[in-house]
Amino acid sequence: MTTPLSSWAEGTAKTTILQFVERVTDADGSEFVPPEGRIATFDNDGTLWCEQPLQTQFFFGRDQLQKMAAEDPGLKERQPYKAFLEHDIGAIKQLGKQAFFEVASAAHAGMTEDEFHVHARDWLVHAQNPAKGRRFVDLVYRPQLELMEHLRQNGFRVFIVSGGGIDLIRAFSEEVYGIARSQVVGSSVRTRMEVCNGKVDLLKLAELQSFDDREAKVQNIALHIGRRPIFAFGNSDGDLAMLRYALSGSGLRLALLLHHDDGEREFAYDREFAISPLAEALDRAEELGITVVSFKNDWRDVFAEQRSFREDELSAARPAIQR
Amino acid sequence: MTTPLSSWAEGTAKTTILQFVERVTDADGSEFVPPEGRIATFDNDGTLWCEQPLQTQFFFGRDQLQKMAAEDPGLKERQPYKAFLEHDIGAIKQLGKQAFFEVASAAHAGMTEDEFHVHARDWLVHAQNPAKGRRFVDLVYRPQLELMEHLRQNGFRVFIVSGGGIDLIRAFSEEVYGIARSQVVGSSVRTRMEVCNGKVDLLKLAELQSFDDREAKVQNIALHIGRRPIFAFGNSDGDLAMLRYALSGSGLRLALLLHHDDGEREFAYDREFAISPLAEALDRAEELGITVVSFKNDWRDVFAEQRSFREDELSAARPAIQR
């Protein structure tokens, strides 16, 4: 990339990011961080791609529940499935974020890891965001793809730390974000190992293992990454613990918060989004030293169409994945 | 590395490994595996470094318990601490492998992640294996360092998947193995996030989170790596599930089992090592297509002294860590 962050408008956010990267990579500077310490973590829903009208996880789970309801019509009458099947936003928001994830992911219980991966890719190749009339994978933010690339170019190891399902993100993270599956951290369900005809497989269960939100993001960063990030980017109160964790280490640190204030090009929301609101983090950003990024003012360009994620190209050449 | 595997003796094991790597990296061959699929997993204790007379985790935990016993003499009279403090191998083996790990790791409860890391490095710089009179970090196997380097040179991403404590291994994996902390999978304890003077830290608890052995190795590979390895290397029945998982995928696969049959240069043991025996895996190796590596016959050279792991050099230049 010749000009870094070309989709970012000139301003405080862009300048802050570029100066941060310069300072931690300047081997002669007092704020130099060796490559192994250059850990960057990004939330996914609402930070790397669109999360309105609801997170992609919901539509993925709902479509699977619809298949199940065709076999078992009784499902249509049982909550919380009823709410999902009728796209009853009010009832869904009543569930709360964790139960929301549990229902969405339980729909895939019984699949092996390999079956789930194929199923998720088949779904992602076609599935569209109803509010935008575009595929979910085409609603990733171009400025963030540029930012992650700029960080990688400067020796950072970039991770996703999401409340969404870890295996759903892994089904597109390599082609779409250039992020290896092993650098994706997310919510997960328990699995059971089975030996069938001498073949060892893992079966997904309906039981939640980790809901990767708030404090759990910090705990899962320690478990999966084993280092405190020096750079963290989120967009909701669910990311506040991760941002504060990054800022709590010694040396230079950068924590960013995306504010969705662009009703024209995307969506304008914060406090009222019940599934994943932005309130405390926004109110305390200045006090805590978190840089707020305005979707409307800091981003010149918004979405990046994923030419690399077509059915006929799923196993074809793809952008370089960070090794 | 000009000559790969120079510490390996000519023979079936060396030839099998070199041919496997050639075949999966031959872009024109029918068995080609793209780089993102080249996942290799290694057990640690007894596979990458010496695990006799007991795993390093034991001595690490015991030394901490001794400090605690100085404060609280009653500890000397309570099991299982008594067994650790008196190095009562019989009683320790009675505990079983999981309780063994729980006691060894519970000794560090109450430390923050950062404190633990410094503590572990300070310990590893000096701590010696009593049976060998050499530092634990100097008892890593040179043939395995060469093998991991050969795999990385050929586009593999190399992971450790160990029953040992994930954070103890991370305290030396970068300098000693060239393996980033994020590519270490192991047993773990639960943590609690604390905000102290506005600083966010993680506190280690005495409660086990995951004992990374047998089926759990397969489950944790799926959780941390998100891909089925095409190459796996172990040395005990605790690794059998991981080896079978690797072999159960489609395409060319390689699973190796190190047999400690060298009483002269290291130790000769398998079935009778109660903490982590090798019996079923050895008996079924041929049937399952697992290649057995003889410590005595397949390795010409054994230990690799860690010049890079000295107190005065802990933060100095180190071998390249896989990015």
Side-chain angles (χ1 to χ4, degrees), chain A residues 253-318:
Chain A
R253 309 260 155 182
L254 183 58
L256 299 129
L257 189 67
L258 179 62
H259 188 200
H260 292 265
D261 55 3
D262 192 335
E264 240 173 69
R265 295 185 303 174
E266 200 226 18
F267 297 94
Y269 65 98
D270 41 42
R271 296 167 199 282
E272 79 289 351
F273 183 34
I275 290 293
S276 184
L278 171 60
E280 184 190 359
L282 196 58
D283 297 336
R284 299 187 62 189
E286 190 172 355
E287 160 211 346
L288 295 171
I290 295 167
T291 301
V292 176
V293 173
S294 162
F295 196 111
K296 182 176 184 177
N297 304 318
D298 289 315
W299 286 0
R300 296 196 315 192
D301 194 359
V302 178
F303 297 119
E305 198 184 326
Q306 295 303 312
R307 291 188 177 70
S308 69
F309 205 81
R310 299 287 177 204
E311 194 163 25
D312 56 340
E313 292 172 11
L314 276 187
S315 52
R318 57 192 55 173

Side-chain angles (χ1 to χ4, degrees), chain B residues 80-95:
Chain B
Y81 311 107
K82 190 169 186 289
F84 270 58
L85 290 165
E86 293 172 355
H87 201 153
D88 176 348
I89 300 277
I92 288 162
K93 289 182 173 176
Q94 287 306 315
L95 284 174

Side-chain angles (χ1 to χ4, degrees), chain A residues 157 174 227-228 322-323, chain B residues 157 174 227 322-323:
Chain A
R157 192 179 282 229
E174 296 187 337
R227 278 186 189 275
R228 189 189 294 259
Q322 179 171 35
R323 306 295 304 151
Chain B
R157 194 178 281 230
E174 296 186 338
R227 279 185 187 276
Q322 179 170 37
R323 305 294 308 148

Side-chain angles (χ1 to χ4, degrees), chain B residues 86-127:
Chain B
E86 293 172 355
H87 201 153
D88 176 348
I89 300 277
I92 288 162
K93 289 182 173 176
Q94 287 306 315
L95 284 174
K97 202 171 174 183
Q98 175 166 332
F100 172 83
F101 172 77
E102 288 188 63
V103 178
S105 55
H108 304 95
M111 292 185 184
T112 65
E113 289 277 334
D114 296 341
E115 288 166 350
F116 176 88
H117 188 72
V118 171
H119 170 74
R121 292 177 68 85
D122 290 346
W123 186 83
L124 285 162
V125 168
H126 301 291

